[in-house]
Every structure is written in structure tokens, then in C-alpha cells.
Amino acid sequence: MVTRPLGAGGEEALRQRLGGKPLRFVEGRYTLAELERIQGTLTQAMPRLQEQGVQVVWSGVDVRTNRVRLGVASDLEQAQAAVRHLPGAEAIVVVEAEPVQLLGAEGGPAVTPAPSPAATVADGGAERDAGAGGAPVRPGGWWAALLTALRRWWAALVAVFH
């Protein structure tokens, strides 16, 4: 895909460089810089989109289709309507996306396992805040999985250098 004509000489030079393989030229409407600018505008608008009930999972420039793609895990029509008034909206394609699942350090689903002795030593022991009955209170959900992965990584790194 090109965003401006190459001319006969440019096309022939590209064909020779590719060893005569079949080649089709398609002229896109937007340059990469324009698509990146539109994606930046979209990124700035994400808090407003979330306030409107749009669950944004990801966004990215798709050079093959010459569009910015927005993956959402909420109602597709609602998301399309919310994006319609943004600058560069004609270049944005809203698609359904699966919610992001954080993976644990081993590449499996994020879980909150009991900390290993190495992780407990690495993070300075139990949490300072105590819950009911004096039991340590640890964060839950994806945050706990991230902290667990970071603690394991740190404990492994410390073990390597000691």
C-alpha cells in the first residue's frame, strides 16, 4: 500500500527489487503519520469513551487496511456511535475484542497463589495492614497477579546474583 503514486519508474524499481514477484499497488487515503495522529487522538479520548460505557481493550494502526482499529469488549454499536464524533473518525474501525487476561509469570492464567518463601523474603514479609483476625491483607485480582509475578521475578533475579 502506498499513500502517493510511485510513478512508473518507482514501481519498476520496486518490482526489480522483489525479483519480479507479482505485485499490486493500492493507494491508501491516510499516511502512517496521519493514522498515528488519529490513534493518539483516540488514546486521549479513552477516558471519555469509558465514561460512555465503552470498554476499550486495545487500539492500533492497521497499515494493510489503512485504518486505525479499536477493539472493544462492550456493545459494538454504542462504541461506534461514541467514536463517530472524534477527529479522524472516518479512519477508525471499531471491532469486537476479547477482554485482556493477564498471564502469570509461567504464562498461564493469573492467579493469586500463596507466596513462596523466596517471595516472602524478597518483599519484606507479610503486608503491614491486617484484616479481620490480624490476617495479612493482600490486594486481589489482576493487581495481585502482577505483584506476585514481579515478586517472583525479583526473587529469581536476586538468587542469580547472590
Side-chain angles (χ1 to χ4, degrees):
M1 180 166 296
V2 295
T3 54
R4 62 177 177 222
L6 293 176
E11 286 184 21
E12 184 56 33
L14 192 52
R15 286 181 200 283
Q16 287 177 3
R17 185 169 193 154
L18 294 175
K21 292 182 181 168
L23 192 58
R24 183 174 67 112
F25 292 93
V26 177
E27 189 170 338
R29 178 173 175 190
Y30 305 99
T31 66
L32 179 58
E34 289 170 324
L35 292 173
E36 289 173 340
R37 182 183 45 75
I38 292 168
Q39 184 186 16
T41 301
L42 188 58
T43 300
Q44 290 175 347
M46 282 187 195
R48 281 185 306 182
L49 293 173
Q50 289 176 340
E51 288 172 2
Q52 295 174 23
V54 177
Q55 271 188 309
V56 176
V57 177
W58 53 263
S59 72
V61 171
D62 186 345
V63 295
R64 292 177 300 121
T65 62
N66 198 234
R67 297 287 184 264
V68 174
R69 293 173 55 92
L70 177 68
V72 298
S74 53
D75 182 75
L76 199 57
E77 289 180 19
Q78 178 186 7
Q80 290 168 336
V83 168
R84 191 172 300 134
H85 303 293
L86 294 175
E90 64 280 354
I92 300 172
V93 177
V94 181
V95 297
E96 290 184 48
E98 292 293 320
V100 172
Q101 180 181 12
L102 290 178
L103 300 178
E106 292 79 28
V111 294
T112 310
S116 68
T120 303
V121 169
D123 74 0
E127 298 291 326
R128 304 273 187 261
D129 298 329
V137 175
R138 293 198 177 266
W142 70 269
W143 185 248
L146 176 63
L147 288 175
T148 300
L150 288 172
R151 285 182 181 126
R152 286 182 180 171
W153 177 84
W154 183 253
L157 186 64
V158 168
V160 167
F161 291 105
H162 277 64

